[in-house]
Amino acid sequence: MNLRYQFVSLAFFLLLSTAAAWGRPANKKALAEYFGPRLADNLNDCRTCHLPDETAREGKKPHNPFGARLSALRRELEEAGKPSGIPARLDAIADEDSDGDGATNLLEILAGFPPGDTTANPSDAELESARGKVAEFRQSRTAYAWQPFDKVERPGIPAIKSTDWARNPIDPFIAAEQESRGLAPRPEAPRSLLIRRLYLDLVGLLPTRGELQAAAADTAPDWEEKLVDKLLASPRYGERWGRHWMDVWRYSDWYGYAGVVRHSQPHMWRYRDWIVESLNQDKGYDQMIVEMLAGDELAADDPQVVRATGFLARNFHALPNTRDKWLQETVDHTSQAFLGLTMGCARCHDHMYDPLTHQDYYQFRAFFEPYRVRIDTMPGSYPRIDLSNGYFASGNGIARAFDEDVTKPTYLFLRGDENTPDKSASLPPGVPAALGGKLPEIVPVKLSPAVYDPEKRPIAVEEVVATSALRVTQTAERLAKATGEPSRRLAEADLAIAEARHAALLAALEAERLEDAGQIDSDPGRQSIANAARAQRRQSMAEAGKNLVVAKLELASPITAPAAAKKIETIEQAIAKLAAEDDGPPSTTYVKRPIKSYPRESTGRRLALARWIANVENPLTARVAVNHLWLRHLGQGFVSRSFDFGRAGSPPTHPALLDWLASELMKGDAAAGQPAWSMKRMHRLMVTSATYRLASTSDPSSMSRDPDNRYYWRTPARRMEAEVVRDSLFHLSGTLDFRMGGPELPHAQGLTLPRRSIYFRHAQEHQMEFLKTFDTASVIECYERVTSVAPHQALALSHSDLAISHGRLAARALHQEIGPAAEDFVVAAFELTLARQPSDTELAACRGFLEEQAKLYRANSSATADATGRQPAPDSQLRARENLLGVLINHNDFVTIR
């Protein structure tokens, strides 16, 4: 739970515990949700159910007759095994008269009067006005009943008047809400803009002119379906949507201080590549959840699966005393990302709104209590060692989760303070009862030697040997370059040490191999021990030999000479002793490699939790997933706060459609060969709907009724995400490098390296400045991007070397293709940048601009190079065209998805 929500929760807790004037916020909110806009402001108050403040006793306010009836009814309904929430109780007593004034509770509330106050009575006229509202209110109560913690049920598709408008089952749900509110959907967007929208939404790149023209010329009725299938089959789809899910799953490369890893882990790019590849393979969303939370328990020996646990490795904190913070972030962001629950609000006390107890929080934490993260060696062609930069820049590894503290207990922290644990009982792993479903049995997972002794795996041994051999090679190269007698003698000693260490490593590895094979007591085993001991002695002799060289060099200085003489005597004695041992009988012991071993069993806790989350019985998982998809296609989700589906959040605008899509995600379509939990199938449904195809233009009538477009009478225009802006600049110039995957690229080279933005370093302290300008994702929490409008965004497109350089390249390519005709060039430039043809007014303005610019450049031919050294064209006509491309790149429509 981030700080702002912890603060809100704490504030509510303090109010409840100290102020008699407040009732329970959840009950007050439930009353407001039940009546909606029909509840008068004066009734959105605790005194609707409670007596005035002066009646408070011991910090509690007694109920008035209406509140007392609600309270008593709760017990009655619970004893009868019936729903007992505020809506059920309000339904039950709507026609009762709690305060005995002759008006029913419902009529008094609709008239704006408290139904439990005998001194406040509506007039006959006010009651008559309220009676006119009853029918409409009761009709609203028969609408689709949606509760976030109820199991997803598949609703029927509503009947609508505009049947000819609907294209697939999504549209009737949208149309029904529009018709009930007098909203008229906008016409369909022009085909060229729809094509551009699909390319940007599904692959994050502008269509080329050829792609635009081909799709525009397709006369088949299913042209859009064919284009969507093509884009979903593109590897670019995984990169585009991989970045979206990386936002939700808080992707971050490691960051720290002075080269020390303090957050996340090295080699997190493997987790990023897993996300991209999983999406391109259309791996089921349920399977992705299981692999992210428990890939090490599901398939511990498969690095392709285990890399998914980067989701957990990302939460790593290396600073002292941060284990509680580490687990807190794991609980909070697991629940928010997959369940849309602010479970962190229950860290200090029972959740103020949702049926989550203080104990629920810590039982959920118990699933993660044992886990840690580590780096395992992986094979690959990346540099094995960099002697100048140490651990995390060397080697090739995989960050993964594993269970280490398998017996560590979980205690409830009183008021959420880790310094006051309640040690009277250790809490077992458990899921909130309010979410239903059955937690699978927690079964410990036996692990293989390759998992609990990863440094003994063949690839790890090969890496160690290769690194040691490389040290020998690099040391020999330094010796070859050494000049002067002292330097050469030291370099010779260094080479002797490197060679001796390498020989000792090989000998120790052979002894280790025979010991692991149970052959250490055989003749070869005993010989291997003797060989290892001898090699280690010779390593010690080589190290002593360098010390001797250093000491003899110190004899040349009168200051260090006296001490050096004593050193020499001591070192020579040590060398003589080692030599005598070398000539003696074979040793029966050697120094084993200092390698890390891990538990031979994992608890199985996270695997059980993951399977509970990724289950059709879970009421939230599919709802949260389709809300994220809809949000990124239509500009806003059904639930406005995608991380909070609880009662503190906003109810969905289209609850029936949300549930229909959630059920569709979970069931798939076996007849069509479309598996359950397929995200590509959901994309296809959403973007082929009539709703998605609407124009983004406005309409005064609908705008007055629904200014926020909550009922999707148009497709909202949206600013491109930062990565799409940058990638589109490279793409329109034809220079974008489509190689996929691999270690993160330096963020400082983002303006020159033409790889897609997803592959550049992304961490709290290491982000590309260009992307930050256009609101790239926060690595701390980014369930939904926040779009800003700032002057430096325009400056980045008008003055940055990236925009200028690639605008020039694009203009030159078009100039070569189109030829001298100015009008043809303008049309082609509009198609390339904005995916549409210019209007007559735009065409005339652009032709005038080209003529004026060419005239100016003929009069003044001075040129200014961009940072890449690319000079503007010396030809006045081409230079004018370069400037026109620059103007179009700065057009608002270039950075807008319409």
Side-chain angles (χ1 to χ4, degrees):
M1 197 67 193
N2 62 36
L3 184 59
R4 67 180 183 275
Y5 296 118
Q6 288 180 5
F7 176 80
V8 170
S9 295
L10 179 59
F12 275 133
F13 178 79
L14 292 175
L15 285 168
L16 279 173
S17 60
T18 61
W22 290 90
R24 184 167 175 80
N27 293 342
K28 183 178 172 184
K29 183 172 179 14
L31 180 70
E33 288 179 352
Y34 180 88
F35 286 101
R38 304 167 194 84
L39 186 70
D41 290 343
N42 65 296
L43 297 183
N44 189 15
D45 187 278
C46 298
R47 286 170 294 187
T48 299
C49 295
H50 293 269
L51 293 173
D53 294 350
E54 57 270 16
T55 64
R57 297 287 187 274
E58 298 179 355
K60 297 181 179 180
K61 291 169 55 177
H63 287 106
N64 61 29
F66 177 70
R69 178 69 177 113
L70 282 175
S71 180
L73 185 58
R74 176 180 182 175
R75 290 188 293 272
E76 294 174 19
L77 292 172
E78 286 177 345
E79 290 173 0
K82 296 179 180 179
S84 60
I86 293 292
R89 285 182 270 161
L90 289 170
D91 283 341
I93 66 169
D95 294 326
E96 295 181 6
D97 179 10
S98 295
D99 57 7
D101 61 0
T104 66
N105 296 330
L106 178 60
L107 277 177
E108 284 202 80
I109 290 174
L110 292 179
F113 286 79
D117 186 350
T118 58
T119 67
N121 303 313
S123 67
D124 290 342
E126 288 167 328
L127 286 173
E128 187 61 29
S129 175
R131 288 188 185 96
K133 302 176 184 177
V134 170
E136 187 270 338
F137 171 74
R138 292 197 185 281
Q139 183 181 6
S140 73
R141 291 294 302 153
T142 63
Y144 184 77
W146 187 86
Q147 291 296 325
F149 306 129
D150 289 349
K151 180 184 173 183
V152 175
E153 300 290 349
R154 187 178 180 84
I157 297 174
I160 57 172
K161 299 174 185 176
S162 51
T163 54
D164 57 336
W165 175 77
R167 293 177 56 88
N168 71 26
I170 287 175
D171 298 318
F173 291 97
I174 298 294
E177 296 292 342
Q178 291 174 352
E179 290 173 358
S180 70
R181 290 167 174 80
L183 300 170
R186 299 303 293 146
E188 186 173 294
R191 183 182 286 204
S192 63
L193 289 187
L194 183 55
I195 293 167
R196 186 180 195 264
R197 185 187 298 171
L198 287 167
Y199 268 85
L200 292 173
D201 271 5
L202 295 178
V203 298
L205 296 172
L206 295 167
T208 65
R209 289 183 62 237
E211 290 168 332
L212 178 67
Q213 292 166 358
D218 189 343
T219 59
D222 63 342
W223 72 267
E224 186 190 11
E225 286 77 5
K226 290 189 296 183
L227 178 58
V228 169
D229 286 340
K230 170 191 168 184
L231 295 175
L232 290 176
S234 167
R236 312 283 80 82
Y237 156 74
E239 294 170 325
R240 166 60 159 155
W241 280 84
R243 182 60 261 181
H244 283 316
W245 288 111
M246 286 161 67
D247 286 6
V248 178
W249 298 330
R250 295 199 323 139
Y251 179 88
S252 173
D253 295 301
W254 76 267
Y255 59 100
Y257 176 74
V260 177
V261 178
R262 291 190 176 179
H263 302 272
S264 190
Q265 285 285 280
H267 313 294
M268 286 295 285
W269 61 270
R270 291 189 180 279
Y271 170 46
R272 175 248 291 153
D273 284 359
W274 172 86
I275 295 173
V276 173
E277 293 166 19
S278 296
L279 293 174
N280 279 333
Q281 296 162 7
D282 201 21
K283 183 179 291 183
Y285 180 68
D286 59 336
Q287 182 67 14
M288 292 182 71
I289 292 173
V290 172
E291 292 184 15
M292 279 189 281
L293 293 177
D296 60 305
E297 295 185 324
L298 178 72
D301 290 284
D302 187 350
Q304 300 304 310
V305 173
V306 169
R307 59 187 172 149
T309 62
F311 173 82
L312 297 173
R314 179 266 175 273
N315 294 324
F316 172 79
H317 284 256
L319 297 177
N321 303 318
T322 58
R323 177 63 176 161
D324 181 54
K325 173 66 174 173
W326 180 356
L327 286 175
Q328 182 180 342
E329 290 192 0
T330 302
V331 169
D332 290 356
H333 294 291
T334 297
S335 61
Q336 288 178 207
F338 301 124
L339 298 172
L341 275 183
T342 56
M343 188 166 278
C345 293
R347 172 180 166 82
C348 304
H349 49 75
D350 290 353
H351 202 291
M352 298 307 302
Y353 293 103
D354 298 331
L356 303 173
T357 67
H358 191 28
Q359 181 168 315
D360 282 340
Y361 176 91
Y362 289 95
Q363 289 197 256
F364 198 85
R365 168 177 163 143
F367 287 106
F368 301 103
E369 196 78 57
Y371 103 92
R372 297 276 176 170
V373 300
R374 75 189 200 215
I375 302 289
D376 283 357
T377 301
M378 290 288 290
S381 58
Y382 308 107
R384 287 193 173 91
I385 186 170
D386 177 355
L387 294 178
S388 67
N389 201 17
Y391 161 65
F392 53 82
S394 67
N396 183 25
I398 181 171
R400 59 174 290 169
F402 73 102
D403 276 1
E404 181 177 63
D405 302 328
V406 296
T407 61
K408 187 173 179 61
T410 297
Y411 298 120
L412 183 146
F413 295 164
L414 301 177
R415 296 180 181 251
D417 186 352
E418 63 177 311
N419 296 311
T420 57
D422 178 3
K423 293 190 175 182
S424 63
S426 174
L427 298 176
V431 295
L435 298 187
K438 183 179 180 182
L439 180 69
E441 181 184 359
I442 298 175
V443 180
V445 178
K446 300 291 185 183
L447 303 174
S448 70
V451 176
Y452 60 73
D453 275 337
E455 292 182 61
K456 293 184 178 181
R457 293 172 302 148
I459 59 170
V461 171
E462 290 169 8
E463 189 76 11
V464 169
V465 172
T467 299
S468 178
L470 184 58
R471 283 196 178 96
V472 174
T473 300
Q474 292 177 335
T475 308
E477 290 171 352
R478 288 202 298 272
L479 173 59
K481 296 175 183 177
T483 59
E485 183 60 23
S487 295
R488 185 168 182 81
R489 289 171 62 189
L490 288 170
E492 287 173 342
D494 284 338
L495 178 58
I497 291 173
E499 291 175 336
R501 284 178 177 169
H502 187 63
L505 172 65
L506 295 178
L509 286 170
E510 175 61 13
E512 182 181 283
R513 183 186 69 81
L514 291 171
E515 183 175 10
D516 290 342
Q519 300 175 19
I520 198 65
D521 292 327
S522 66
D523 289 342
R526 286 188 287 272
Q527 185 61 49
S528 71
I529 292 176
N531 293 342
R534 183 179 301 110
Q536 289 171 351
R537 279 196 300 272
R538 291 178 180 176
Q539 175 185 329
S540 298
M541 291 172 69
E543 291 165 349
K546 180 177 180 179
N547 293 336
L548 186 60
V549 170
V550 172
K552 288 182 177 179
L553 292 173
E554 291 173 350
L555 286 174
S557 169
I559 297 175
T560 58
K566 294 180 179 179
K567 286 183 187 177
I568 291 171
E569 181 180 356
T570 301
I571 293 169
E572 287 178 338
Q573 289 175 354
I575 292 174
K577 181 181 179 183
L578 288 169
E581 291 174 356
D582 208 40
D583 292 335
S587 176
T588 58
T589 61
Y590 74 104
V591 178
K592 297 182 179 181
R593 286 197 303 149
I595 60 176
K596 172 73 174 176
S597 291
Y598 299 93
R600 300 190 173 202
E601 188 175 87
S602 192
T603 63
R605 293 182 184 183
R606 286 179 286 111
L607 185 57
L609 173 65
R611 286 174 170 160
W612 174 80
I613 292 175
N615 191 283
V616 295
E617 297 294 319
N618 192 297
L620 291 169
T621 307
R623 285 170 168 152
V624 171
V626 297
N627 194 65
H628 277 299
L629 296 175
W630 186 266
L631 160 67
R632 287 161 177 81
H633 280 309
L634 274 299
Q636 58 190 20
F638 302 118
V639 175
S640 60
R641 294 206 302 176
S642 57
F643 59 87
D644 187 0
F645 273 54
R647 292 168 182 163
S650 300
T653 55
H654 296 71
L657 176 54
L658 175 61
D659 279 7
W660 188 89
L661 287 169
S663 68
E664 195 72 6
L665 173 64
M666 291 188 287
K667 83 178 187 66
D669 187 344
Q674 297 171 342
W677 298 95
S678 164
M679 281 196 274
K680 285 189 178 183
R681 181 165 183 268
M682 301 312 296
H683 290 301
R684 191 179 292 106
L685 266 171
M686 291 177 185
V687 303
T688 57
S689 66
T691 305
Y692 179 84
R693 293 174 67 147
L694 296 177
S696 60
T697 53
S698 188
D699 172 72
S701 175
S702 294
M703 180 65 76
S704 66
R705 288 178 169 86
D706 181 20
D708 295 325
N709 192 38
R710 286 168 56 83
Y711 296 97
Y712 305 102
W713 51 270
R714 66 171 175 168
T715 296
R718 296 166 282 138
R719 220 269 317 281
M720 288 177 177
E721 292 94 338
E723 296 82 359
V724 180
V725 176
R726 177 191 168 276
D727 294 353
S728 292
L729 290 171
F730 281 97
H731 189 46
L732 68 85
S733 69
T735 60
L736 189 62
D737 183 347
F738 288 114
R739 285 179 294 175
M740 298 178 69
E744 70 273 18
L745 301 169
H747 64 284
Q749 298 180 33
L751 300 187
T752 54
L753 290 179
R755 294 284 300 281
R756 289 200 75 169
S757 300
I758 193 175
Y759 298 117
F760 285 84
R761 187 164 180 73
H762 182 71
Q764 180 70 0
E765 299 157 354
H766 303 94
Q767 297 181 39
M768 200 187 303
E769 285 299 323
F770 186 89
L771 297 184
K772 289 172 66 176
T773 298
F774 288 94
D775 309 311
T776 191
S778 165
V779 302
I780 303 300
E781 179 179 311
C782 189
Y783 292 101
E784 181 178 350
R785 296 272 181 113
V786 176
T787 302
S788 66
V789 178
H792 56 286
Q793 294 165 348
L795 293 172
L797 289 178
S798 61
H799 296 300
S800 75
D801 295 322
L802 178 64
I804 294 171
S805 174
H806 289 279
R808 287 173 177 170
L809 286 175
R812 293 171 192 179
L814 276 185
H815 179 78
Q816 185 74 22
E817 177 187 350
I818 300 302
E823 185 170 314
D824 291 346
F825 182 86
V826 173
V827 171
F830 267 74
E831 289 179 340
L832 178 67
T833 54
L834 309 182
R836 64 175 175 86
Q837 294 199 351
S839 67
D840 292 342
T841 302
E842 289 170 329
L843 182 59
C846 289
R847 291 187 63 177
F849 175 85
L850 290 175
E851 292 170 3
E852 183 66 22
Q853 290 286 297
K855 180 180 177 181
L856 288 172
Y857 290 135
R858 283 194 296 271
N860 181 5
S861 60
S862 63
T864 303
D866 60 42
T868 63
R870 297 189 185 98
Q871 294 282 349
D875 176 78
S876 60
Q877 182 192 49
L878 178 52
R879 188 167 180 184
R881 291 182 172 192
E882 290 177 350
N883 280 9
L884 178 61
L885 258 293
V887 170
L888 291 178
I889 286 171
N890 281 272
H891 195 300
N892 182 58
D893 282 358
F894 177 74
V895 294
T896 303
I897 303 175
R898 291 198 179 278

